[in-house]
Amino acid sequence: MTSSNVPVLTVRIERFPIAGSFTISRGAKTEAVTIVAEVSQNGLTGRGECVPYPRYGETPEATLAAIKAMQAAVAGGLTRQALQAAMPPGAARNALDCALIDLDAKAAGRRAWSLLDRQFPGERTTAYTISLGTAEAMAVATAKAAHRPLLKIKLGGDGDGERIAAVRREAPESELIVDANEAWTEANLEQNLAACAAAGVTLVEQPLPSSQDEALARIKRPLAVCADESVHDRSSLAPLRDRYDAVNIKLDKTGGLTEALAMADAAQALGFEIMVGCMVATSLSMAPAMLVTPQARFVDLDGPLLLARDRDHGLRYDGSLVYPPDASLWG
C-alpha cells in the first residue's frame, strides 16, 4: 500500500473576526475560534469544521487534541459509521464526521445529499441574530435588520419584556424567534413568555437552565418553546416531550451530520418541530447543516453573516436566503 492510499488526518485551529461583537446571556466574543479537520487520501481531501463550546466544557486545545488522537484510527481506515462509537457526541466528532462525509462524496463523485440518500437542500430563509443589549441598543440593531423576514433575538433575563417590545416596534413585519440561552427563572418564566406572545414571537428557545426545565411541563405555554442546551442527540429527546414543542439540532452538539440526520428523523417521529442551528462560524460549518434544512421549520444558519470575513468559496447568501454549498466548499 502506498502512502497516498493511507488516509491522513490533519487538524488545526483557525480564527475569524466577528463584525463588532456577538453577545448572549453568557457573555460576548469578538472572534470565532474554529477547529478544521482534514482527511486526505488518493489526492482528495475532505474537510469539516467545528466550534468548541465552553458551555459543555469544550476548549479549542482539548478539541484539537481529541481529533489528533484519532489519527491512527483514521490511517487504519476508520469509517464515519465506526466513528459514532469511537468518539462521544460533541464538537470534535463533528469536525471529523463532516470531513469523512466530504471525502466519501468526493471519492464517489457525488454530492453529499445524494450519497446519504437525502433530499436536495434548496435555498432557505435563515434567521438573522440580534445580539443581547439594552432595549435601546437592540432597537437600533433591529432597525438596520428590519428588512429581514426572520430575526432571532437574544434575551437575557431582567428587562426582556422591554427588549422584545422595542424589537417588535422596529421590525413590525419580521417573524421573531427568541433565544434566552437559559437566562430565565421559574419566577419570571410566565411573565417573559407572555411578553413574547404579546409581541407576536413565534418561538422561544431554551428559556430555563437545562437542569431546571421541568417547570415547562407545569405551565400552559402561550407559544412554542424549543430545546437547545437541553437536547444533544437522539438519546436526549424522549424525556423532553412534555416540556418542549421543538428541538434545535446543531452539529456541534450531535457530534456531526450523521447523528444530526438520524436525530431529525427521530425528533419528527416524536412530534417535535425542528430548528437547525449553528455556532458563530464559517460557511464550512454551515454547509453540512444545510442537509438538515429540508426537515426544519426554522433555519438559523447565519454564522457567516456575523463574521467580518468568511472563508473562500463560502455559502451564497442573498439577503436572508442561504443556498446549498458548492462542491468547492464541502460535500
Side-chain angles (χ1 to χ4, degrees), residues 55 76 113 131 154 178 183 186 193-194 218 236 244 295 323-324:
R55 168 66 176 78
W113 48 85
S131 286
K154 293 289 188 177
V178 157
E186 189 170 354
L193 286 175
R218 298 195 296 266
S236 57
Y244 294 97
Q295 294 172 268
Y323 291 80

Side-chain angles (χ1 to χ4, degrees), residues 197-256:
V201 171
T202 303
L203 181 87
V204 170
E205 196 178 340
Q206 199 66 44
L208 298 174
S210 61
S211 61
Q212 301 168 27
D213 63 359
E214 68 279 356
L216 290 166
R218 298 195 296 266
I219 66 167
K220 183 175 181 180
R221 301 187 291 270
L223 70 166
V225 178
C226 178
D228 183 1
E229 286 86 353
S230 288
V231 67
H232 297 267
D233 57 9
R234 280 173 289 174
S235 66
S236 57
L237 286 171
L240 303 180
R241 282 183 288 181
D242 61 346
R243 305 176 190 184
Y244 294 97
D245 310 289
V247 294
N248 189 343
I249 298 177
K250 293 178 180 174
L251 273 61
D252 281 317
K253 292 189 302 179
T254 66

Side-chain angles (χ1 to χ4, degrees), residues 29-43:
K29 60 181 181 178
T30 58
E31 67 175 2
V33 181
T34 74
I35 313 296
V36 174
E38 294 184 342
V39 181
S40 300
Q41 184 180 26
N42 295 327

Side-chain angles (χ1 to χ4, degrees), residues 18-299:
I18 292 173
S21 67
F22 180 75
T23 305
I24 65 172
S25 62
R26 280 188 284 272
K29 60 181 181 178
T30 58
E31 67 175 2
V33 181
T34 74
I35 313 296
V36 174
E38 294 184 342
V39 181
S40 300
Q41 184 180 26
N42 295 327
L44 302 172
T45 297
R47 300 187 301 167
E49 178 182 274
C50 70
V51 179
Y53 197 18
R55 168 66 176 78
Y56 305 126
E58 297 175 336
T59 66
E61 295 74 20
T63 302
L64 183 80
I67 299 172
K68 281 186 174 180
M70 300 302 295
Q71 285 175 323
V74 169
L78 179 75
T79 65
R80 61 183 179 87
Q81 292 81 8
L83 173 65
Q84 308 310 306
M87 296 183 79
R93 194 178 79 185
N94 175 32
L96 186 48
D97 182 66
C98 292
L100 290 172
I101 293 172
D102 189 27
L103 181 61
D104 287 347
K106 287 181 168 69
R110 300 167 64 186
R111 296 309 308 269
W113 48 85
S114 172
L115 184 75
L116 301 176
D117 195 26
R118 289 285 167 164
Q119 183 179 336
F120 169 72
E123 69 272 15
R124 289 294 303 271
T125 296
T126 180
Y128 181 81
T129 301
I130 303 296
S131 286
L132 176 65
T134 64
E136 294 76 16
M138 293 179 73
V140 170
T142 300
K144 296 176 182 177
H147 62 286
R148 295 184 179 274
L150 179 62
L151 297 177
K152 180 171 179 174
I153 313 303
K154 293 289 188 177
L155 295 182
D158 291 340
D160 278 350
E162 291 77 12
R163 290 185 180 99
I164 196 61
V167 164
R168 174 51 84 195
R169 284 194 296 271
E170 298 299 330
E173 302 300 324
S174 301
E175 182 176 13
L176 302 182
I177 56 179
V178 157
D179 188 0
N181 284 113
E182 303 182 283
W184 295 355
T185 67
E186 189 170 354
N188 65 25
L189 172 64
E190 292 185 88
Q191 175 185 345
N192 283 333
L193 286 175
C196 287
V201 171
T202 303
L203 181 87
V204 170
E205 196 178 340
Q206 199 66 44
L208 298 174
S210 61
S211 61
Q212 301 168 27
D213 63 359
E214 68 279 356
L216 290 166
R218 298 195 296 266
I219 66 167
K220 183 175 181 180
R221 301 187 291 270
L223 70 166
V225 178
C226 178
D228 183 1
E229 286 86 353
S230 288
V231 67
H232 297 267
D233 57 9
R234 280 173 289 174
S235 66
S236 57
L237 286 171
L240 303 180
R241 282 183 288 181
D242 61 346
R243 305 176 190 184
Y244 294 97
D245 310 289
V247 294
N248 189 343
I249 298 177
K250 293 178 180 174
L251 273 61
D252 281 317
K253 292 189 302 179
T254 66
L257 179 59
T258 300
E259 173 62 22
L261 292 171
M263 181 180 173
D265 294 341
Q268 283 189 319
L270 290 171
F272 289 110
E273 285 193 316
I274 292 172
M275 172 188 289
V276 55
C278 69
M279 307 296 289
V280 182
T282 79
S283 286
L284 185 55
S285 281
M286 308 301 125
M290 285 296 295
L291 274 67
V292 187
T293 62
Q295 294 172 268
R297 164 66 175 86
F298 300 97
V299 174

